Amino acid sequence: MRKRILNNAAKVLIFVSACIFIIAGCSGQKQPGDTAVKNKELAEHTKEFRQEIIKVTDGVYAASGYGLANSILIEGKDGVIVVDVMESVEAAMPVKKAFDKITSKPLKALIYTHYHADHVFGASVFTENKKTDVYSHEKTLAELDRVTAVTQEVTYKRAMRMFGTFLKNGELENCGIGPFLKFDDRTTMSYIRPDRTFSGDILKVTIAGIDLELIHAPGETDDQIVIWIPDKKVLIAADNFYKSFPNLYTIRGTKYRDVLAWVRSLDKMRSLNAEYLVPCHSRPVSGKDTIYATLTDYRDAIQYVHDQTIRGINMGLTPDELVETVKLPRHLADKPYLREYYGTVAWSVRNIYNGYLGWFSGNSTDLNPLPIKARAERFAKLAGGKKALFEHAKKAGAVGDHQWVLELTDILLVLEPDMREAFDLKALSLRKLGLLQGNANARNYYLSQADEVEGKLKLTQAKIDKDLAHRIPLAAIFNGMSVKLNPEKSSDIDKVASFYFPDTKEAYTVHVRRGVAVIEPFFMQKADITITVDSNTWKEIAAKLSNPAVALAKGDVKIEGGIINAVNFLGMFSN
């Protein structure tokens, strides 16, 4: 009897699971086999970014197609306001020229919708080195400091792959939310630090005779603001809406994006009943009913992915299992502004899982996995040796099983880091997979890494000019030092260096204590080493724009406690 009950219960469970699987499978979202459709869609999506100055309504213009993001001009009675300023000086210059053809009225203010590079690093082009009010949310300041000093190196490299910045002509289709990113080692970053910030939910201001409401609306970033122009019924959406399924997670890497906060922000935006919606990526949308319906679909898609991920989590599903089951329903998946050109449902699911539960899948196998090399050795043994493993990878490539090629060649390259044949095979599969993608981020990342694996591409850092270096706060530079400390060089060190900056009257103490750098915002009198230097000189040294030896010889840097000791101390903060 007990056995029969268990059997019946199992049958019911199988039936329910099958129904869930069928419902998910009938979501209407095109499956990976629709390669030709996806490629055609991505190519067609490029038309969204044709270069144009778009007149939204009287006095409001959007510059689209000049770079990754849009820049928006608002013309007032006695001046203009510019919202977001492109990703570099080089991207901003043609936009400034185009805006100057519309009006010669002077610039009254800049507004940053958030801290992302493609919205802030062309600022000096618009201000022309004149004092200008710069508005943003208060959180933007901290975010700018973090990305310029703490994680800049790795996110830059991953962003260059994701946006295909170094791909050859003809390989880049688009970037999902823009035609290209004009931000690399040949361009110049220059931003102006915001000086008109607010910390609450809304800031109402009148600039150039235009009433504006700056509304804090966390979404793609925590500092995000949207801008409402009530008299014109214009809503500038920042990055809370663009014509693609949103990047609830970005493969360049970022901290957790609160997707429910994004939903709440979209509800705020819907409540305004805008007649004109101006995204900071992709072209404007007009018509009150169209905008309301579009924003409703967008917020519903985000909430659906969140809720169904959490539902699956509570059923005990792992991230890999969730990715296979959570799909958008047809009425959302088929909307042109929710196609996966930029973000994907799968990446979002993994990020939501991590945001709630962290890295652990719940499977004990994942608690203490084998070391990478030990696992690779056992794989090779199972395959019959490294040569046999390579043959398996070649056969997989021959039949188009390119993901398996990547997984097998990664194992081979752990065992034989200089195995040129494995690199070549991996590069070929990366290129093949890249050309199959309908998602711009994935396509660009695959193709860029193929170039890297083949030795054709080395990602180099973007240039920082002295003006930008001078704008970085000392606090940001010192906060970034702790994560640059080399543990091998500092494992037996217990030393203190104090820094004093007479021009700003600031001071910092860095205590290296056996692999940890403790940073404090004060001057310790009995330090082992003291360094006195003007803040801008130190910023130029930190940005590698000035040679510290030259600065020392010129007397710009004064050291107590021995020059060699100071050089050795600073030398610990390097790879």
Side-chain angles (χ1 to χ4, degrees):
M1 183 70 172
R2 173 180 165 83
K3 186 175 182 181
R4 187 165 62 249
I5 292 170
L6 289 173
N7 285 341
N8 288 338
K11 288 176 182 177
V12 170
L13 182 59
I14 290 167
F15 175 76
V16 171
S17 299
C19 288
I20 292 170
F21 180 78
I22 290 167
I23 291 167
C26 293
S27 67
Q29 191 171 37
K30 290 180 171 60
Q31 298 303 307
D34 298 315
T35 299
V37 172
K38 287 185 174 183
N39 280 319
K40 186 176 180 181
E41 280 190 7
L42 187 60
E44 185 69 18
H45 189 53
T46 301
K47 295 177 183 177
E48 179 71 25
F49 312 119
R50 58 192 181 275
Q51 192 174 102
E52 185 179 356
I53 300 294
I54 303 166
K55 182 176 180 180
V56 178
T57 187
D58 289 342
V60 181
Y61 304 85
S64 178
Y66 288 82
L68 189 68
N70 299 339
S71 187
I72 298 143
L73 177 72
I74 304 170
E75 184 179 2
K77 293 177 181 178
D78 60 348
V80 299
I81 306 154
V82 174
V83 178
D84 291 345
V85 291
M86 311 299 290
E87 61 260 39
S88 63
V89 168
E90 290 75 9
M93 288 174 68
V95 175
K96 174 67 164 58
K97 289 179 181 178
F99 285 169
D100 285 346
K101 291 179 181 179
I102 296 171
T103 177
S104 60
K105 291 177 182 177
L107 179 71
K108 293 293 184 178
L110 298 179
I111 302 175
Y112 298 156
T113 59
H114 60 294
Y115 73 90
H116 281 168
D118 50 318
H119 299 258
V120 302
F121 280 137
S124 64
V125 171
F126 295 93
T127 62
E128 297 178 324
N129 296 319
K130 296 175 184 175
K131 170 64 178 170
T132 304
D133 289 337
V134 181
Y135 290 81
S136 78
H137 195 269
E138 186 177 68
K139 290 185 176 182
T140 300
L141 295 169
E143 294 290 359
L144 280 167
D145 294 346
R146 179 179 63 82
V147 297
T148 54
V150 179
T151 58
Q152 191 262 345
E153 290 94 341
V154 67
T155 52
Y156 173 80
K157 289 179 180 178
R158 286 167 60 151
M160 294 302 96
R161 296 176 189 136
M162 167 178 150
F163 292 120
T165 304
F166 290 93
L167 291 178
K168 298 184 289 292
N169 289 337
E171 285 192 330
L172 177 69
E173 184 59 64
N174 60 61
C175 293
I177 53 169
F180 51 79
L181 178 73
K182 191 171 281 190
F183 182 84
D184 55 31
D185 58 331
R186 300 178 297 277
T187 59
T188 305
M189 299 184 290
S190 184
Y191 85 98
I192 297 172
R193 198 166 174 79
D195 59 354
R196 295 286 186 270
T197 64
F198 69 104
S199 58
D201 291 333
I202 187 169
L203 175 66
K204 295 183 179 182
V205 294
T206 300
I207 306 171
I210 302 289
D211 293 331
L212 303 172
E213 295 180 14
L214 311 187
I215 303 169
H216 185 215
E220 192 167 277
T221 62
D222 289 342
D223 67 322
Q224 199 98 189
I225 61 171
V226 298
I227 300 160
W228 174 236
I229 313 176
D231 292 342
K232 298 179 183 291
K233 301 296 181 185
V234 171
L235 174 60
I236 299 173
D239 282 9
N240 281 348
F241 169 79
Y242 37 72
K243 294 176 188 174
S244 168
F245 185 83
N247 245 4
L248 305 184
Y249 172 76
T250 175
I251 58 175
R252 71 178 176 271
T254 186
K255 61 184 183 180
Y256 179 66
R257 290 174 172 176
D258 186 339
V259 298
L260 288 184
W262 199 330
V263 168
R264 290 191 293 270
S265 293
L266 285 162
D267 284 338
K268 279 186 190 178
M269 294 162 66
R270 288 194 309 145
S271 71
L272 296 170
N273 290 310
E275 294 179 8
Y276 305 96
L277 180 68
V278 188
C280 290
H281 298 277
S282 64
R283 298 171 73 82
V285 182
S286 61
K288 182 165 65 174
D289 292 343
T290 299
I291 291 168
Y292 190 86
T294 298
L295 293 179
T296 299
D297 286 341
Y298 216 70
R299 59 89 61 216
D300 284 357
I302 296 172
Q303 184 177 336
Y304 182 92
V305 173
H306 170 272
D307 291 354
Q308 293 310 307
T309 300
I310 300 303
R311 178 172 173 271
I313 285 172
N314 285 325
M315 292 168 64
L317 299 182
T318 66
D320 289 343
E321 291 168 330
L322 287 165
V323 164
E324 293 180 11
T325 57
V326 178
K327 312 288 181 185
L328 283 182
R330 181 184 296 277
H331 76 279
L332 295 173
D334 286 346
K335 293 291 169 60
Y337 44 81
L338 283 169
R339 301 300 289 163
E340 295 181 313
Y341 304 125
Y342 193 55
T344 78
V345 174
W347 299 342
S348 303
V349 166
R350 293 185 185 280
N351 198 44
I352 292 166
Y353 186 101
N354 186 65
Y356 277 85
L357 295 185
W359 63 267
F360 180 45
S361 70
N363 181 354
S364 298
T365 304
D366 297 333
L367 283 174
N368 291 292
L370 289 169
I372 295 171
K373 189 168 183 181
R375 185 171 179 271
E377 287 170 344
R378 295 182 194 197
F379 256 99
K381 187 176 181 180
L382 279 174
K386 287 180 281 189
K387 288 184 179 179
L389 188 62
F390 181 66
E391 289 303 316
H392 281 294
K394 283 205 302 184
K395 287 176 183 177
V399 297
D401 194 357
H402 297 296
Q403 179 61 34
W404 189 227
V405 171
L406 297 188
E407 296 188 26
L408 292 179
T409 52
D410 280 356
I411 292 169
L412 280 165
L413 290 168
V414 169
L415 301 173
E416 297 286 346
D418 299 320
M419 189 177 182
R420 189 65 254 171
E421 300 95 325
F423 277 118
D424 292 341
L425 187 58
K426 180 176 181 176
L428 180 62
S429 284
L430 284 168
R431 202 168 299 285
K432 294 280 188 182
L433 282 172
L435 295 174
L436 294 175
Q437 304 302 310
N439 177 277
N441 288 347
R443 173 191 169 97
N444 296 337
Y445 212 102
Y446 280 121
L447 295 177
S448 296
Q449 279 213 314
D451 285 345
E452 289 180 89
V453 169
E454 290 174 336
K456 297 177 181 176
L457 170 62
K458 185 176 181 181
L459 298 175
T460 50
Q461 291 287 339
K463 291 183 292 186
I464 298 178
D465 65 7
K466 287 188 178 182
D467 182 61
L468 175 57
H470 293 172
R471 294 180 192 278
I472 299 172
L474 286 169
I477 293 172
F478 279 93
N479 288 340
M481 283 183 70
S482 64
V483 298
K484 293 179 172 61
L485 182 66
N486 186 308
E488 286 80 22
K489 292 181 179 179
S490 59
S491 60
D492 295 322
I493 303 298
D494 190 345
K495 284 192 175 182
V496 176
S498 286
F499 296 76
Y500 179 63
F501 303 93
D503 59 323
T504 62
K505 303 295 188 287
E506 292 176 272
Y508 287 87
T509 293
V510 181
H511 183 178
V512 172
R513 188 168 57 231
R514 304 193 67 177
V516 174
V518 181
I519 315 293
E520 300 285 1
F522 57 76
F523 188 87
M524 183 179 289
Q525 294 291 340
K526 295 183 179 180
D528 299 293
I529 302 160
T530 62
I531 298 174
T532 304
V533 57
D534 279 353
S535 60
N536 284 340
T537 300
W538 183 250
K539 291 173 184 180
E540 290 172 19
I541 291 171
K544 299 180 180 178
L545 296 172
S546 296
N547 187 320
V550 173
L552 183 63
K554 289 168 60 179
D556 294 337
V557 179
K558 297 177 182 178
I559 295 173
E560 295 179 25
I563 293 174
I564 299 300
N565 288 335
V567 169
N568 290 338
F569 185 89
L570 296 175
M572 292 187 289
F573 296 89
S574 65
N575 298 326

